[in-house]
Amino acid sequence: MEIRVFNDFVSRPIGRGRVYEMKLDDGCARVTNFVFDRGFVINFFDMSTAYFTNQDRIGSMNYLMINATLMGRYVARQENSIRSRIQGMGIIHHPSSRREHIRIPTMRYIGLSIGLDLNGFRPIGLDDLPDVSVVLDNICARYRMDSMDPFILDNDMMMELYALKSLLDDPDSVDDDVVAVLVSDLVRRLYESDGPRFSEIRGSEDTRLEDELYSRIMFDLGVVPSINGICEEIGADKYGISRGFKKVYGDTPYSLQRHYRLITAGSRMLLGERSMKAVSESAGYGKENKFATAFRKEFGFRPKHFDKEFGNPLVTPNRSG
């Protein structure tokens, strides 16, 4: 059960699958493919090249794909359509053979693609839901599958996706059960959500300054940025670029960076980090009380109540399946 990626990628095996790498003049593209026994695969994308063309030859596998952008911006041209996905957006689709011309206008692009085998996915902890085939059919119907319309991922989904990324960053020590629980809970949240909120952001005119500002503030979430200083360095008017930034990325620079610092903190707590000092510092807060206040303002509950309010699937007693 492997998603094969062809083109100019050079591949090598890892414990759970393969790593595909393509080096170009201006950077590289890496896809790490993980295969799990419970009927799902995960592709971890990390791309730092501005342009490349990719063709996936998937074959006839009966999969539901959940693609999520965790960092950066991705603009893909396929035939006569252009799609732009920013951090916090996802799409749901069936895999198919297609050729895409891809542009990464930010310093890097990081994303996850989770493939669920429609005939073999065996989730953990979803015994209270209908049969898995009914659940997946419901998700397909509500999320405009195959329209490729990007939807906005809820905060709880992003925390789980960031937690998955953290686990996959070390491919030699991946805990299969923990990954399976998180993937299963993500499916639950998609199924039980009130419905997708589709993004109105479509591709764009010249956004070089906005993309440069994004790259400067979003790839080190442990540091609170100096927007004024960055604007001086790149020769941008602070107020003008903030308006343009919000059109491209959906929020103001400082607010977006703060939001994802807190999302990352939530993902650490999801995986069991209980030192509020460590969590606070990782999110760029020197004082725990300031972190707790910001977290509550952003998500509606205090960090000390995280497991209960979030519904942390990793601390529930039943992880059998």
Side-chain angles (χ1 to χ4, degrees), residues 41 76 95 109 139 144 155 160 174 178 189 230 271 286 295 298 301 310 315:
V41 299
Y109 174 86
I139 292 172
R144 297 184 190 171
N155 292 329
E160 291 190 325
V174 174
V178 172
R189 293 178 191 275
I230 295 172
L271 290 176
F295 193 91
E298 194 78 10
F301 58 90
F310 183 86
V315 299

Side-chain angles (χ1 to χ4, degrees), residues 94-142:
H94 275 318
S96 62
S97 291
R98 64 186 188 276
R99 190 173 183 83
E100 289 185 327
H101 300 282
I102 297 167
R103 181 168 67 93
I104 307 297
T106 49
M107 181 174 68
R108 286 171 71 194
Y109 174 86
I110 297 175
L112 289 181
S113 179
I114 301 171
L116 308 175
D117 186 342
L118 294 175
N119 296 321
F121 176 50
R122 293 182 293 113
I124 294 178
L126 303 188
D127 296 341
D128 57 321
L129 297 186
D131 183 80
V132 66
S133 62
V134 175
V135 169
L136 297 182
D137 284 346
N138 175 277
I139 292 172
C140 291
R142 291 197 301 138

Side-chain angles (χ1 to χ4, degrees), residues 215-232:
S215 296
R216 297 282 194 102
I217 68 174
M218 294 304 296
F219 286 95
D220 187 354
L221 293 176
V223 176
V224 180
S226 169
I227 305 299
N228 288 335
I230 295 172
C231 288
E232 288 181 6

